[in-house]
Structures are given as structure tokens and as C-alpha cells.
């Protein structure tokens, strides 16, 4: 199963939640699957989806779902420490791990020798899970006391979806108006 179907599996449970999507194909695939005003398609800033999601979670009460990638979270591991310590109870960080920098040509990341779930646990995430071992809808809907980290292993590969035909300004403005 590739990232596209992984995002589909996640989005079928999303109702009013805020979704922050990683740069590149994750955002493009999300746009193709379920474009909504409450999706923030992050452009350009590799590694910062988790940091942007944290800021959103700390500044308002609604649930924030972050769709990150293994390459991006490995590039900004400090963000995991900050999230685990700030620990907002309305944040769910999902790392869709395809073991590659998928958006730029499937160059391998260091995922093979690096267990992101163990890293999250050791950084202090009290609720850290493998997507395939939980009822995601349950994690999404029940009131958590802590931030949630979810590792979602998928196969490499992008689906040939179009680009996001919204300007960065429109993405930002419609997102801000919706929250
Ligand atoms: C600082 C920086 N380095 C590199 C890039 C180019 N870049 C954009 S997306 C991407 C790959 C992201 O990989 P990952 O987070 O694993 O997500 P995937 O595309 O595999 O889902 C890279 C290297 C960038 N935008 N910014």
C-alpha cells in the first residue's frame, strides 16, 4: 500500500479536524483525495509540518492532524522533543513512512536503521502507536490527555495526481478563515 491509500485511510475518518500536510506529493495527494478549507498544504518548508501543526494545536482547541513524512521528521527531529514536552492533547502526528524522500525521486532515507516509533516513545510521547495496530477512529475521536504519535509504514511510490491549483495566499487565507 502506498502513501496515497494511507492518506485515504486516514481521511475517511476526518470530519472537522484541521489537517496539516507535508510538502510535495503528500499535499498533492491529499488535495486529490479530499480537498477542504481545513487542509493546510505546506509548501516549501521541508521538516516544518510538525512545527506548524504544533503551533496550531497550542493556539486553539480543535484537533490538529499532521501528515508528515519520514524524511521530513528525520530532518527536524527536534520538533518531536518539543511536541512531546509541550504535549498538547489536541495534536496527532502521523508519520507516513515510505522509507524514501518520495517527492523528490525516492532516494532512501535512514529509516531502515532508525525506528521512529521507538524514537517517539523515548522522546516522551506517552501515546505512540503503529497505525496498523490501533483503531484510528478511536484515537481520533476520544479525548486524549497527551499528544499522539502514529507511525504508518507504507510502500514507496507517488500517485500521478495533478498539482495544487491554489496559490499559497489562497491556501493560507481560506485555511485561516476556516479555523
Ligand atoms: C530544506 C529542504 N531540503 C530539501 C527539500 C526538497 N524536498 C522536498 S520534499 C522532499 C522529500 C520529503 O520526503 P518525506 O518527508 O519522506 O516525504 P515523502 O515525499 O516521501 O512522502 C525533499 C527532499 C526542501 N524542500 N527543503
Amino acid at each position: 500500500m502506498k502513501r496515497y491509500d494511507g492518506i485515504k485511510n486516514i481521511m475517511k475518518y476526518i470530519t472537522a479536524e484541521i489537517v496539516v500536510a507535508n510538502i510535495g506529493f503528500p499535499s498533492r495527494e491529499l488535495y486529490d483525495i479530499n480537498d477542504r478549507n481545513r487542509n493546510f498544504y505546506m509548501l516549501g518548508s521541508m521538516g516544518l509540518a510538525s512545527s506548524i501543526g504544533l503551533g496550531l494545536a497550542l493556539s486553539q482547541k480543535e484537533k490538529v492532524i499532521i501528515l508528515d513524512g519520514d524524511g521530513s521528521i528525520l530532518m527536524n527531529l527536534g520538533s518531536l522533543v518539543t511536541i512531546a514536552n509541550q504535549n498538547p492533547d489536541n495534536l496527532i502526528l502521523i508519520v507516513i513512512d515510505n522509507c524514501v524522500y518520495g517527492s523528490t525521486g525516492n532516494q532512501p532515507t535512514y529509516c531502515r536503521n532508525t525506528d521512529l516509533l521507538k524514537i517517539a516513545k523515548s522522546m516522551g510521547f506517552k501515546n505512540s502507536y503503529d497505525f496498523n495496530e490501533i483503531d484510528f477512529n478511536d484515537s481520533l475521536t476520544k479525548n486524549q490527555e497527551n499528544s499522539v504519535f502514529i507511525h504508518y509504514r507504507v510502500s514507496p511510490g507517488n500517485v500521478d495526481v495533478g498539482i495544487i491549483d491554489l496559490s499559497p495566499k489562497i491556501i493560507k487565507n481560506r485555511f485561516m478563515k476556516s479555523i
Side-chain angles (χ1 to χ4, degrees):
M1 192 194 57
K2 294 183 186 161
R3 182 202 312 101
Y4 187 88
D5 289 318
I7 295 175
K8 254 188 168 171
N9 281 342
I10 294 164
M11 292 309 291
K12 69 182 174 204
Y13 299 109
I14 296 291
T15 52
E17 295 84 358
I18 291 166
V19 177
V20 179
N22 190 22
I23 180 173
F25 269 95
S27 278
R28 288 169 60 175
E29 291 178 353
L30 173 62
Y31 183 67
D32 185 75
I33 292 165
N34 185 2
D35 179 40
R36 26 199 302 282
N37 292 348
R38 293 189 153 220
N39 291 350
F40 183 70
Y41 305 110
M42 194 201 60
L43 308 173
S45 319
M46 182 178 168
L48 291 183
S50 56
S51 308
I52 292 168
L54 173 62
L56 283 162
L58 291 173
S59 56
Q60 52 81 58
K61 289 195 166 20
E62 294 185 46
K63 262 193 188 160
V64 178
I65 316 305
I66 305 159
L67 306 180
D68 213 347
D70 53 303
S72 297
I73 202 72
L74 286 168
M75 203 177 86
N76 184 15
L77 274 182
S79 183
L80 279 185
V81 186
T82 312
I83 295 172
N85 283 277
Q86 290 288 330
N87 199 24
D89 60 8
N90 58 342
L91 182 151
I92 300 182
L93 169 57
I94 306 175
V95 177
I96 303 179
D97 181 356
N98 53 10
C99 264
V100 292
Y101 298 101
S103 296
T104 48
N106 294 334
Q107 302 86 355
T109 66
Y110 290 128
C111 87
R112 280 174 190 83
N113 300 318
T114 310
D115 185 331
L116 284 167
L117 192 52
K118 275 193 191 155
I119 287 180
K121 282 185 206 291
S122 65
M123 283 185 173
F125 278 89
K126 293 185 187 74
N127 299 66
S128 38
Y129 313 105
D130 180 327
F131 186 90
N132 294 314
E133 288 170 9
I134 55 165
D135 177 344
F136 175 63
N137 194 34
D138 196 44
S139 303
L140 189 65
T141 49
K142 84 172 175 217
N143 281 333
Q144 306 278 355
E145 286 176 13
N146 303 290
S147 295
V148 174
F149 177 94
I150 298 177
H151 184 238
Y152 196 176
R153 176 54 63 81
V154 298
S155 309
N158 309 314
V159 168
D160 188 18
V161 292
I163 56 161
I164 299 174
D165 52 1
L166 304 171
S167 69
K169 204 170 162 184
I170 289 177
I171 293 172
K172 185 194 80 171
N173 288 344
R174 70 175 201 159
F175 175 75
M176 286 179 72
K177 268 193 208 127
S178 77
I179 65 172

